[in-house]
Each structure stands twice: as structure tokens, then as C-alpha cells.
Amino acid sequence: MYLLLFALLLAALLGCIFFQCRRKKIICKINAMDCCTKCTLLNELVYPFGYDFHCDCGFFSSTVDAPQKQAGYTWLYDYMAPRFQMVFDSLPVYFDYRDRTWLIEFWKGQYGINTGAEIGIYHADRIIPESDYKTAWFSCAEEGEMLDCSFQLCKCENECICNSERHWWLTAFLVGCFSKPSCLTMESCIGFPNREMLCAFVDGLKRTGYPEDCLSVRGLTVCFVFHKDSTKYNCLTRFWRSFSQWKNKRFCKLYLWVTRPFLCTEDRVLYLYYYLPAAFRKLLRLRRFNKRCHKRHRREG
């Protein structure tokens, strides 16, 4: 028995020495890279997941050709999100334009260990009755249907993230930052191709209860601030939101502790990639439940 205990202690000691040596080797490897090399490598690593890394601002955003585009959108995604550690406020704006129902939705909140925001542009293939909004499936806007989008996500009145691009799914995610959705303010602007679509969107936004006097229309661009979520959640969803936020906060602290040899986001994420590859993959699997929900929705339809 003493021999077994000695063997276990020896194995534990050798394991600690091995991981410590490996850790130091990884730190030296990252420190030896210049900034350009780090950013290029990081973009190569995250591109298959549908993301780009903005070296100048230190956040991730989705690419125009992201694989998530195949999944489209249905309300089930938002409903299931808290079960996947995604706790956000959402503002879906439905409107009819040229024989199709469109949906432009805004999100802000906590995505695992990331604080982030999204603007998604979708449409159905026909006019959808309001009673069917939660069961309908919407396809993503194609290249010729994308809109000029921008947003500024602020936390406690301090600027957090800004992003702007012609897109169907404009996003920004700041790694290692924990936030309550209610503490985030999202100032968004959408540019439309014509007055008809702009007016249809504004009418849809007003139907959500958004006050008209808080809207700003300049030419073909609409700007407004999304702060409060008026959604009323049932007991089960409130439980999942609270439980997921409890986990998110602790995983955020764990991420910062594990990557504590570095301060910059690119260094931290690369360190995670080399030191804990499984954790790196999980970090970038935002909206990973989409395909599963999409298949389920198709079967039910």
C-alpha cells in the first residue's frame, strides 16, 4: 500500500514538473512572436469557427461567410440560449417588406466568458402572420440584401466595443469580460437601401413598444439605443439565466487566472490554444446550438 501511495505521489510530482516546463515553454514561444505574427496566427485559428480577430481593438467578430449562416434563425435559438451559457437581452424587430417578412434582431449580453453584442438580418420567403413569428424559420440575408450596420456597446456608461460593417450578422465579443445584460447599453445604426424599407422597419420597431421620440432618422439611416429588455421570462428560463450567469462569472475568473502570465487578449487566447486546446475550441463555439436546433426545427416542421 505504501508503494502504491509513493507511486501516486511520484506520478503527481512528475506531472506537475511536466506541466510547469510545458507552461514556461509556451510562454517563451508567445513572447518570441511579434504582434503581426500573433494576429495572423490567431485569425487563421478562429476563421474556421466563423470569426475574425480585431488586433487594434482586441475583440472577435463574425465573418460574412461564417458557417453559422447555414442555420438561419428561429425563435428557438433565443429560447435555448441560456442553457448554453448565453444570457442576453434581445430586441427582435419584425416587419413586412416587398412580399416577405423581415427580422432584424439586436442582442447584448454575456456569451460564456465573452461580453458581446449582435445585429442579425433575416427574412422569410413569404409574409408571416404575427401569430407564427415564434415558429417560423428565417434565412439569413444574402450578399445583395446585407445592410450597413454599426453599434457601440457600453458598460456602465464607458465605451466597451464598437463595430461597423455591411453585414448580415454584425457581432463583437470581448473575451474575459463579465457583464450583466441590464448593465449594457447598445447604440445601433442601420442603413437601408430605400425609404420604403426604412419606414417598414421603424413601424416594426414602434410595435415593440420603443418610443418614437427616442429614434433618430438621418437620411436612410435609423439610430436608436437599446437598453432595457421588456421580455418576461418564465420560472424555468429565469433559473437557466441565473445559473448560467453564475457559471459564466466563475469561468471568466478561471480564464483570467489560467492566462495570468499575459495581459493582451491575443496573448491570452494563444496561450489558451497551446496550453488547453479544448478550452480554446469551447471559447469560440458561440451559437454552437444553432445547427442542433435547426435540425430539430426542421423535423418538427
Side-chain angles (χ1 to χ4, degrees), residues 13 27 69 72 85 95 133 170 173 187 216 251 291:
L13 178 62
I27 293 172
K69 190 172 186 178
Q85 285 70 66
F95 60 96
Y133 284 169
L170 184 69
F173 303 103
E187 183 177 345
S216 172
F251 278 121
K291 289 187 177 180

Side-chain angles (χ1 to χ4, degrees), residues 49 272-285:
F49 294 90
L272 197 67
Y273 167 72
Y274 287 119
Y275 193 57
L276 297 170
F280 169 81
R281 290 191 295 271
K282 188 171 182 179
L283 167 70
L284 293 167
R285 282 175 182 165

Side-chain angles (χ1 to χ4, degrees), residues 78-248:
D78 286 358
Y79 178 74
M80 294 294 293
R83 295 158 176 78
F84 293 86
Q85 285 70 66
M86 299 179 197
V87 182
F88 46 64
D89 290 343
S90 61
L91 177 62
V93 180
Y94 296 89
F95 60 96
D96 297 335
Y97 169 69
R98 295 191 178 178
D99 301 322
R100 291 190 294 191
T101 296
W102 287 70
L103 167 63
I104 299 181
E105 186 157 1
F106 305 83
W107 296 270
K108 62 179 178 70
Q110 193 67 25
Y111 301 74
I113 64 169
N114 311 278
T115 288
E118 311 170 75
I119 300 176
I121 302 168
Y122 313 94
H123 62 71
D125 56 2
R126 65 189 188 283
I127 298 293
I128 303 293
E130 187 174 349
S131 58
D132 294 340
Y133 284 169
K134 288 189 175 182
T135 57
W137 182 79
F138 294 81
S139 58
C140 303
E142 297 298 334
E143 184 176 354
E145 302 168 329
M146 295 190 298
L147 302 176
D148 294 323
C149 308
S150 66
F151 64 75
Q152 177 176 287
L153 184 69
C154 299
K155 180 178 180 181
C156 300
E157 300 182 354
N158 295 318
E159 184 177 318
C160 186
I161 317 174
C162 290
N163 201 7
S164 176
E165 191 177 349
R166 185 174 180 82
H167 221 295
W168 63 272
W169 180 40
L170 184 69
T171 66
F173 303 103
L174 193 61
V175 185
C177 178
F178 177 80
S179 307
K180 294 180 180 179
S182 59
C183 294
L184 299 173
T185 300
M186 182 182 184
E187 183 177 345
S188 305
C189 292
I190 307 288
F192 294 93
N194 53 59
R195 195 77 183 174
E196 180 187 0
M197 191 175 189
L198 181 147
C199 290
F201 171 79
V202 169
D203 289 341
L205 184 58
K206 287 190 290 186
R207 283 195 298 272
T208 67
Y210 196 89
E212 185 176 1
D213 56 352
C214 293
L215 287 170
S216 172
V217 179
R218 299 189 296 270
L220 294 176
T221 301
V222 178
C223 298
F224 66 98
V225 177
F226 173 32
H227 177 57
K228 294 183 179 180
D229 183 5
S230 59
T231 306
K232 294 183 179 180
Y233 301 104
N234 59 36
C235 292
L236 181 60
T237 301
R238 288 201 301 270
F239 162 77
W240 278 111
R241 286 172 67 89
S242 299
F243 180 57
S244 291
Q245 279 292 73
W246 178 81
K247 290 198 293 183
N248 288 339

Side-chain angles (χ1 to χ4, degrees), residues 31-51:
N31 285 333
M33 298 180 186
D34 58 56
C35 185
C36 184
T37 302
K38 292 175 186 176
C39 292
T40 301
L41 174 58
L42 194 51
N43 272 309
E44 289 175 357
L45 293 172
V46 302
Y47 182 79
F49 294 90
Y51 297 101

